[in-house]
Amino acid sequence: MPLPRDCRALLDEVSAHNARALGRAITLAEEGGDRAGELLCALEEIPLPEAATIGLTGTGGAGKSTLAARLIDHFRASSRRVGLIAVDPSSPLSGGAVLGDRVRMMRHACDKHVAIRSMASRGRLGGLSAATASSARLMKLFGCDPVIIETVGVGQAEFDIVRLADLTALVLAPGLGDDIQAMKAGLIEMADLLVINKGDLPGAEALRRDLEPIARDRGRALLKVSARDGMGIDDMTATLDALFCQASQSGALADKRRRASDAETLDWALELLRHRLEPIVGAQGKALRDKDPRVRAQMAIQDCFLSL
Amino acid sequence: MPLPRDCRALLDEVSAHNARALGRAITLAEEGGDRAGELLCALEEIPLPEAATIGLTGTGGAGKSTLAARLIDHFRASSRRVGLIAVDPSSPLSGGAVLGDRVRMMRHACDKHVAIRSMASRGRLGGLSAATASSARLMKLFGCDPVIIETVGVGQAEFDIVRLADLTALVLAPGLGDDIQAMKAGLIEMADLLVINKGDLPGAEALRRDLEPIARDRGRALLKVSARDGMGIDDMTATLDALFCQASQSGALADKRRRASDAETLDWALELLRHRLEPIVGAQGKALRDKDPRVRAQMAIQDCFLSL
């Protein structure tokens, strides 16, 4: 049966757990333009089911994709729908072979209760944070709980993505070299939970001992798992549940969601301004071009303001 | 001898090839604030030596760091000073173990004619593009020619970085899986030159054959090298020289530098606006918070410009 053209009707199909409708809605939102605007406006009118978003991040090689697959299995075993948004700010490929998709696809491709979407940053209309937030909302409408937001890398772009989640697990693994430095560099700020994956390898226990004092000082839970063998996954999901309850009750979850909403708003604002500023900067005359870029920037902002 | 406090005097030391002064100047520029402003203003007054910036990018595992080390060796053999800025938008660590630093450090750490700087995106005051551009200018003042800007990953952040370079080489290697798709995804737009590294491996020749028609259609040079064995490096530098001459004569280089300057200006403008918008968004009242993030964004922009 063909999908409805009307945005509200399409969203009703998503609510009714129509996977094709979900895919179409996410694509429409990503394409931007008027149709996306209509869709997102219609989405704002619909109260979403209560659901958690879980962020999963860490440097490459820590085994996040394998861990994400295990988490999906766990939630599916209790008949929950699960969403996964794999965000790779350092890849140009949207919808393609990103972040271990092949691994994921083999297990979950035919499961209508699992919604998977890959997002990359190039060729994207609008900001990646805003697109991720919209997709997460659509997956919640579909009935996903949780929605997992997975990203690789721990830079600013990745930090901006995981800020959208209610809870974030930072995945580490022995032998990747930068873990203690990373913790000292404040990477621990990104996470509610530190997970040492590949827990069966030599070095995993030493890493856990090294991280323990840092985790304790900052009140972060520290776990050791092996995604490949399935070890420690139940502990991890139980810890996530406990942290979620705690955060709900203390009001920390509401604060987190406010800040995530602020981050999404800022992302939209900067995208709107980027579109206005780009032609203004491009059109600056020779006299101005010879100046310091910061002076040029100030002038461009003034011109932008005058044109609003 | 201690370094001068006065910005212009510090820059004179950089001109006089004082490596410590260069390090201090780059650090000052990164720290932001008034001192950075003074330094960058003083820098604008000084005519820089003519020098090329070469961008080096590609997905992880393609061997860019090894290739960058070979390029440095090549230029050093003709007694040129070389700069290398290793930019990793997906890492939080500035000045630390980023992008194969250890490999690089062993060879070039004691060479006063090689300036190396690592930059990551988190904890950065101001945009990464602007910081990279300032560092490149300081390295040119020091006498570096070329300045190599190396980044890992091929997403929007990395694209924004390599846009600053006069010429960019996209480094690929057999077995990484996404190369043809990447080319079809328009990744070829990032590069003037396609370099297949690990040319000794099986698969390298097949990759070259696959990429040849795409490279030919888009008028891009395609080379096969082995950074590990030093094979093809002379060809690569000769090709870069030829492309640089061509671009200088045709006016394409001047256009490229204008666009790079526009990109840097836009980066500054968005950073300035981000700082103004963040508190405005954070202070939006409950009624507004319940609205669509795009509506909130529009209101925040209005408030921002009213306060300018």
Side-chain angles (χ1 to χ4, degrees), chain B residues 270-299:
Chain B
L270 290 171
E271 278 306 308
L272 287 168
L273 289 165
R274 176 190 289 273
H275 283 298
R276 286 180 176 278
L277 282 165
E278 228 158 1
I280 288 172
V281 167
Q284 284 180 332
K286 187 165 192 334
L288 201 51
R289 283 174 171 282
D290 287 341
K291 296 209 177 302
D292 186 22
R294 288 162 311 136
V295 172
R296 286 187 68 189
Q298 300 270 23
M299 299 299 298

Side-chain angles (χ1 to χ4, degrees), chain A residues 274 277-278 281, chain B residues 261-271:
Chain A
R274 176 189 289 272
L277 282 165
E278 228 158 1
V281 168
Chain B
S261 175
D262 287 358
E264 193 187 345
T265 300
L266 191 62
D267 198 46
W268 275 112
L270 290 171
E271 278 306 308

Side-chain angles (χ1 to χ4, degrees), chain A residues 90 121 154 156 261-262 296 308, chain B residues 90 121 154 156 261-262 296:
Chain A
S90 77
S121 70
V154 289
Q156 192 60 46
S261 175
D262 287 357
R296 286 187 66 189
L308 274 181
Chain B
S90 77
S121 70
V154 290
Q156 191 60 47
S261 175
D262 287 358
R296 286 187 68 189

Side-chain angles (χ1 to χ4, degrees), chain A residues 281-291 296, chain B residues 258:
Chain A
V281 168
Q284 283 179 334
K286 184 159 194 339
L288 202 51
R289 282 172 172 284
D290 287 342
K291 295 209 177 303
R296 286 187 66 189
Chain B
R258 254 191 300 274

Side-chain angles (χ1 to χ4, degrees), chain A residues 270-281 300 304 307-308, chain B residues 266 298 301 305:
Chain A
L270 290 171
E271 278 306 306
L272 287 167
L273 288 165
R274 176 189 289 272
H275 283 299
R276 286 179 176 279
L277 282 165
E278 228 158 1
I280 289 172
V281 168
C304 184
S307 74
L308 274 181
Chain B
L266 191 62
Q298 300 270 23
I301 291 172
F305 281 113

